[in-house]
Amino acid sequence: MRLSRYFIPTLKENPQEAQILSHRFMLRAGMIHQEAQGIYSWLPLGLRVLKKIENIIREEQNKAGALEVLMPTLQPADLWRESGRFDAYGKEMLRIKDRHERDLLYSPTNEEMITAIFRKFVRSYRDLPKMFYQINWKFRDEIRPRFGVMRGREFLMKDNYSFDLNYEDAVNAYDLMYKTYLKTFKRLGVKVIPTQADSGPIGGDLSHEFCILAETGETTLYYDPIYDTLGSDFDHKDISELKKYYAATDEKHKPGDAPIPEEQLSVARGTEVGHIFYFGTKYSEVMNAKIVNPKGEEVLAHMGSYGIGVSRLVGAIIDASHDDKGIIWPESVAPYRIGLINLRSGDANCDKVSNDIYTQLTNNNEEVLYDDRDQRLGVKLADMELIGLPWQLIIGPKGIAQNTVELKCRKTNESQELSLESALNHMTKNNARAA
C-alpha cells in the first residue's frame, strides 16, 4: 500500500482526552476515531490489526474443535426473562423497544441465546460434546467508559460456550480452552499469566483470567516465578501441572495465600484480556436445557464460557510493546510487516529504486506500507516509528550511490547497511521464521 493513497491521520501531540498510553498511541497513529464516549470507528490501520488478532483467535478456536456461529447483537428480552437477568443485569444493559413495543436489548453477553439454540436441537449424549463460539460486537453501557478501547461501551469479543454431559467432561472442555488460550496468546506475541479468578456461587477452581504483562497494566499480579522461567513457551506443559502454579491479581491475592513464601513471588503489572469459567448447570437449569444420558435419563447440560476481549487486546498489546517513540507491533499482528521509506520522493533514482523494491516485495506477498509522500524526512521517520511496523527499509541517495539500503528492526532499533539483495533475503528469511 502506498502511503500517499492511504488514510492514516497521525497526530504529533497527545490528545487531552487520552489518559493511558495505549489510547494516546492509537489516536496519534490514526487507528481509531472517537464517535461518542466509549464508542469508536476503526480506521484502516487499526482495523488491520483488529482483523489479524481476530483471525489468530479464530484459527486456534477452530483447531480446538469449536464451531463458529454468529448471533444477533439485538436480542429478544423474553430469553433474558427466562434466566431472570433482564431486570437483574443493571443499567449496563441497553434496553430498547421496536415499533411494536416489543422489548429488545443490545447483547452484553450470549449465554441465554446459545442455550436456547442448544436446547432446541441437541437432545442426546451422542451429540456431545459441543462447543460454539462467535466473534462479535457487544455493548455494555459503562457508567464511566475510559481508557479508549480498554474500557469502551461497544467492543469486539470472542465468546465460546461449551456443553457437556457431566462435570468430568466439562473439565476436559475447560482444560482444552485453557491450553488453547496459551497457544493463542503466544501466537499474538504477548506473555500472559493465567491467574485465579472468582467462581461466584459455584465455587471450585475452574475460573481463570489471562493477564498480559505490561508495565502500564491496570492491576498488580503476584505469581510463581516459574512463569518467568518458562517465558511464553509453557503451552506445552501439562494443564494439571500449570494449575498448581500460583498466580493471582491484587483483588484475589492475600498475603500468605500462595504455597511459596511471599517474598519469593514475582510481582508485575498486567491487564486482563481473557476469562474462562465453568458455570455448571446454572443456565441449563433455568432454561430447561436437558439431554438424555446413556441410561435414558434426562439430565441438565454442564456448561462453560470462554471469553477474549478482541478489541481490548489491541490496546493491551500496545501497553505491553512500545517505547517513547511509538508502538512496537509483534510481527503476527502488525498492520504491515515492512515500512518502505523513500527519503527523497521526487528524486528520479530514489523513486525508481523504491518503486522497484515495492513491486518486488508485493509480488512476493509481503505486506508493505510504502511511504512515497512528498514530506519532510523527519515527518516520515517519526510516523514510521509511531505506527511501529516491525521492519523499516530505508532508501536514500547516499545508499543508492553505494548500492546499499538501510534495514532497521523496530523492536531492537538496530540498523544495518546491506546490499539490496541481502536486505531482501533477510526479510524473506525472517518472514519464514515468523510464519
Side-chain angles (χ1 to χ4, degrees), residues 277-343:
F277 181 56
Y278 164 75
F279 48 69
T281 59
K282 176 180 178 180
Y283 292 96
S284 56
E285 182 173 5
V286 295
M287 300 189 69
N288 199 34
K290 295 181 178 180
I291 47 181
V292 177
N293 68 16
K295 296 179 180 180
E297 303 165 334
E298 280 196 335
V299 295
L300 295 170
H302 286 249
M303 295 175 59
S305 69
Y306 317 91
I308 292 179
V310 183
S311 52
R312 181 179 174 84
L313 260 169
V314 180
I317 291 172
I318 292 172
D319 280 335
S321 185
H322 66 272
D323 61 15
D324 293 340
K325 297 177 182 178
I327 304 164
I328 304 174
W329 290 114
E331 290 208 20
S332 59
V333 299
Y336 293 89
R337 184 165 175 262
I338 304 168
L340 176 61
I341 307 172
N342 183 344
L343 294 183

Side-chain angles (χ1 to χ4, degrees), residues 361-376:
L361 287 170
T362 53
N363 286 344
N364 200 36
N365 296 319
E366 291 282 2
E367 295 179 317
V368 186
L369 185 63
Y370 172 24
D371 193 345
D372 61 339
R373 297 175 298 171
D374 184 16
Q375 275 282 7
R376 292 182 292 108

Side-chain angles (χ1 to χ4, degrees), residues 206-219:
L206 292 183
S207 182
H208 287 85
E209 292 178 351
F210 290 77
C211 297
I212 287 180
L213 292 185
E215 291 181 3
T216 55
E218 61 187 4
T219 189

